[in-house]
Amino acid sequence: TLAVLGEELWRQLPEISDAPAFTQAGLLGLVFFVTAATASVVATRARSSEARAARVGSELLNLSRVNDTIVESMRSGVLVVDGSGRIRTINAAARQLLDLPGPVSGRPLALECPAVAEDVQAWQHRGMRRGDIITTRSGKEVTLRYTRLGRGIEAPIMVLVDDAARLRDE
């Protein structure tokens, strides 16, 4: 703004008689000033939004870690299967109860534990059965309970796995 006004003053200095030129320069300077002020306000809001998003992202990461720790330390097995039948999450108790080796996340449930995969399919098609008992490869009986984590057929399914013998004893 000052540069435009200064340049116009320099051009008009010898005769300073052309008032419309100063008006145009003043209006152009005003437009520059308003544009700069608006850009400053937008930049400040963008920085504030970015800082807020970073805080929320950090809080979500911390909550996710807490959630993972809680799920991993549960006595009940927790298995989450996505809409395509792949294992998304499994805790140590579920791996032990279902006799699954090491890391199986991302693998098809039908390959890792066919009995559970069949029961999940039956649950999806027949509805809200609770407490199904299946026998694992090693002959251990486990109780399965299902919860859909969202809406629609493609929503992930959480399978809670418990030792059927332990439940009978309690």
Side-chain angles (χ1 to χ4, degrees):
T1 300
L2 292 176
V4 168
L5 289 175
E7 189 270 334
E8 189 59 36
L9 183 63
W10 182 259
R11 272 187 348 130
Q12 298 290 329
L13 195 56
E15 43 193 75
I16 307 187
S17 61
D18 194 10
F22 277 113
T23 303
Q24 289 174 350
L27 288 175
L28 183 60
L30 180 63
V31 168
F32 286 158
F33 181 76
V34 168
T35 302
T38 302
S40 176
V41 168
V42 169
T44 300
R45 285 187 181 172
R47 282 191 294 274
S48 173
S49 293
E50 183 180 3
R52 190 174 325 124
R55 277 194 313 273
V56 168
S58 176
E59 289 172 6
L60 284 176
L61 182 62
N62 289 340
L63 285 174
S64 177
R65 287 180 182 152
V66 167
N67 184 47
D68 290 344
T69 302
I70 290 170
V71 167
E72 192 60 36
S73 65
M74 290 176 62
R75 269 185 18 181
S76 291
V78 177
L79 169 68
V80 178
V81 181
D82 65 17
S84 63
R86 293 190 174 279
I87 299 170
R88 283 182 47 183
T89 303
I90 185 167
N91 68 354
R95 277 193 305 276
Q96 189 253 339
L97 287 167
L98 296 173
D99 302 317
L100 296 175
V104 292
S105 292
R107 298 190 43 121
L109 180 61
L111 290 177
E112 296 300 326
C113 196
V116 174
E118 288 173 22
D119 206 62
V120 167
Q121 288 287 334
W123 176 81
Q124 285 181 307
H125 292 18
R126 285 191 290 227
M128 307 304 273
R129 296 181 311 162
R130 297 281 184 215
D132 291 350
I133 296 176
I134 66 160
T135 305
T136 63
R137 292 178 204 171
S138 66
K140 186 185 315 178
E141 288 186 334
V142 294
T143 302
L144 305 177
R145 290 175 291 150
Y146 303 99
T147 303
R148 190 172 298 281
L149 303 175
R151 299 182 193 272
I153 192 117
E154 292 298 314
I157 296 169
M158 180 174 64
V159 183
L160 296 177
V161 184
D162 286 301
D163 186 350
R166 185 178 55 87
L167 291 177
R168 279 193 293 265
D169 292 343
E170 289 179 355

